[in-house]
Amino acid sequence: MWGAENAAGPGEFYVTDPDILVKKWLDTDIDEWTRRVVRRTFDPDDGSPYWLSRRERLDFDPYDITRHEELAAFGPFPLADLRTVDPADLVPRALRRPLAGRVWDTGGTTGAPCRVFYTPAMLRHRAAWRRWSFVHEGFEPGRGWLQATPTGPHLIGHGAWEVADLYAGLVYAIDMDPRWVKRLIREGRPAEVERYTDHLLDQITDTLDRRGIDYINTTPALFAALCRRSPEHVAALAGARLSGTQINAAMHRDFRTALDGGICGISYGNTFGNAAFLGDPEDGGPLPYMPNYPQVTMAVVRKDDWRSVVAPGATGQVRLTVLHDDLFLPNILERDQAARHIDTEWPCDGVADVRPLQIANTAPEGLY
């Protein structure tokens, strides 16, 4: 019988120091974990229907994979498949059918969204890492939050649950459809982009005018717009937690100044996997992130050769691998570039100074 990915049950998060959970995961041998996930995924009877259907087209036996680095044999994962495949087919049959839970969408920057199913164990793993970040960044439990992020089918909106159930917070929220903004950008309608941004800022400031909100969880782009329009609202906050790709050291410094002593926590990631911020750079150095290991690993590879990892500190394209018990997505080539970052506590590489690989109206990042 396969376990629930070494994840604690929901109740354990209230009594377990998140450092204990994270240390347990960081002590995991990545090669052993890789063998575990690959064997579960390709089990002839209980494996993933999607991967079992692809097995005969592979020129190797997946059971011969014994080390994490050998996952390169699968090649880059075809993200286009996630636009058409039933998300349930990616999940091993070891989970009883019919599946019950949420299907999450990507932002649909370059077309129809990709969709993946998250099991309860996957959500707990994500939430535990998020709680670890809250603690290390200095956010206090039991405070009031405003969730000003994409909503509906977007996993980032699940942060409202994580704050409420995981950190005993009282959470307000706004409505936000990031796909609409990206569509407006692609169609060359900047006036309407500005109008929709104003609509979001109206929701945010209206909510912040209520007493009892200490922290905001939003994207760097939307927070920058809030700083420009309503600096007094920002200065009154005890902190902000920002998730997205468009942030650099100068922006982070400006955000901390705007918060007037408040906390500015950040994270990097998407629907497939996240990475935790390691702390404020002391000397204006890079902004480093480490992945939510071992279920998420990252590498920085040459833009012209996805197999070749760049030297530490060098810049390349982000390559992400998802190794959940119930979701296997090897070698996702992200639309982001970053510097390769190494931390002695992590058994895998991290990233620093993340930014879009390219910015164009055909593939806009919008309010992320």
Side-chain angles (χ1 to χ4, degrees):
M1 180 180 296
W2 294 90
E5 328 182 36
N6 285 347
E12 292 183 56
F13 290 137
Y14 296 106
V15 297
T16 303
D17 184 334
D19 282 338
I20 295 175
L21 292 172
V22 167
K23 184 180 186 304
K24 178 180 179 180
W25 286 322
L26 292 180
D27 286 342
T28 301
D29 180 87
I30 190 58
D31 293 332
E32 181 180 344
W33 184 261
T34 297
R35 292 191 292 271
R36 165 192 172 119
V37 173
V38 170
R39 280 154 180 71
R40 174 175 169 86
T41 300
F42 287 94
D43 182 278
D45 298 317
D46 292 328
S48 154
Y50 168 83
W51 283 107
L52 290 175
S53 71
R54 288 192 59 190
R55 182 169 188 167
E56 61 185 31
R57 302 197 302 272
L58 299 175
D59 58 4
F60 63 94
D61 184 347
Y63 276 32
D64 289 338
I65 298 291
T66 60
R67 292 179 298 155
H68 182 265
E69 64 184 32
E70 293 172 348
L71 293 176
F74 286 97
F77 184 82
L79 285 177
D81 285 2
L82 299 185
R83 296 187 173 101
T84 58
V85 168
D86 183 345
D89 285 347
L90 288 154
V91 180
R93 292 194 187 99
L95 267 70
R96 183 179 301 175
R97 265 43 175 189
L99 296 177
R102 288 290 302 273
V103 174
W104 301 99
D105 290 7
T106 59
T109 295
T110 55
C114 299
R115 294 182 171 92
V116 292
F117 177 83
Y118 262 59
T119 64
M122 292 168 65
L123 289 174
R124 290 196 295 270
H125 172 260
R126 180 184 187 275
W129 271 105
R130 187 169 172 81
R131 181 168 179 255
W132 180 86
S133 293
F134 286 163
V135 171
H136 281 258
E137 290 167 350
F139 292 97
E140 297 181 3
R143 305 290 285 272
W145 287 75
L146 169 58
Q147 183 81 15
T149 65
T151 47
H154 303 290
L155 185 57
I156 189 173
H158 193 64
W161 169 85
E162 292 164 350
V163 168
D165 285 20
L166 202 62
Y167 226 50
L170 180 68
V171 186
Y172 294 81
I174 69 166
D175 290 318
M176 178 177 174
D177 179 4
R179 292 186 195 142
W180 181 242
V181 178
K182 294 174 183 180
R183 178 176 176 177
L184 294 175
I185 294 172
R186 283 194 295 267
E187 295 176 356
R189 297 154 68 183
E192 292 187 52
V193 173
E194 184 175 351
R195 186 180 178 193
Y196 186 75
T197 302
D198 284 341
H199 165 66
L200 297 176
L201 294 174
D202 286 343
Q203 293 183 67
I204 291 172
T205 55
D206 175 71
T207 309
L208 291 179
D209 283 336
R210 305 177 65 91
R211 295 186 178 182
I213 297 178
D214 304 289
Y215 305 128
I216 187 172
N217 184 26
T218 188
T219 69
L222 193 53
F223 190 66
L226 180 65
C227 290
R228 291 191 297 269
R229 174 169 152 174
S230 300
E232 69 280 4
H233 283 100
V234 174
L237 290 166
R241 189 116 198 321
L242 311 176
S243 302
T245 59
Q246 296 187 44
I247 187 168
N248 55 40
M251 291 172 63
H252 190 249
R253 183 172 58 251
D254 290 344
F255 290 160
R256 284 183 294 161
T257 300
L259 285 163
D260 195 24
I263 302 164
C264 185
I266 55 177
S267 64
Y268 164 63
N270 54 34
T271 307
F272 306 123
N274 290 349
F277 182 47
L278 294 190
D280 295 341
E282 297 273 335
D283 56 357
L287 299 179
Y289 308 86
M290 298 304 294
N292 292 177
Y293 182 91
Q295 289 88 336
V296 178
T297 62
M298 292 178 175
V300 180
V301 299
R302 287 175 45 181
K303 298 176 185 179
D304 60 352
D305 181 3
W306 68 270
R307 291 176 178 267
S308 298
V309 176
V310 302
T315 297
Q317 186 172 10
V318 178
R319 188 183 74 196
L320 180 146
T321 289
V322 179
L323 282 169
H324 284 282
D325 272 338
D326 300 319
L327 183 64
F328 175 57
L329 303 174
N331 309 314
I332 295 174
L333 299 180
E334 297 283 16
R335 295 190 306 271
D336 304 322
Q337 61 182 330
R340 181 185 176 195
H341 184 79
I342 295 175
D343 187 280
T344 56
E345 292 188 29
W346 260 257
C348 67
D349 288 350
V351 297
D353 288 344
V354 181
R355 60 189 187 276
L357 194 62
Q358 62 180 16
I359 299 177
N361 281 354
T362 55
E365 291 298 318
L367 289 175
Y368 278 104

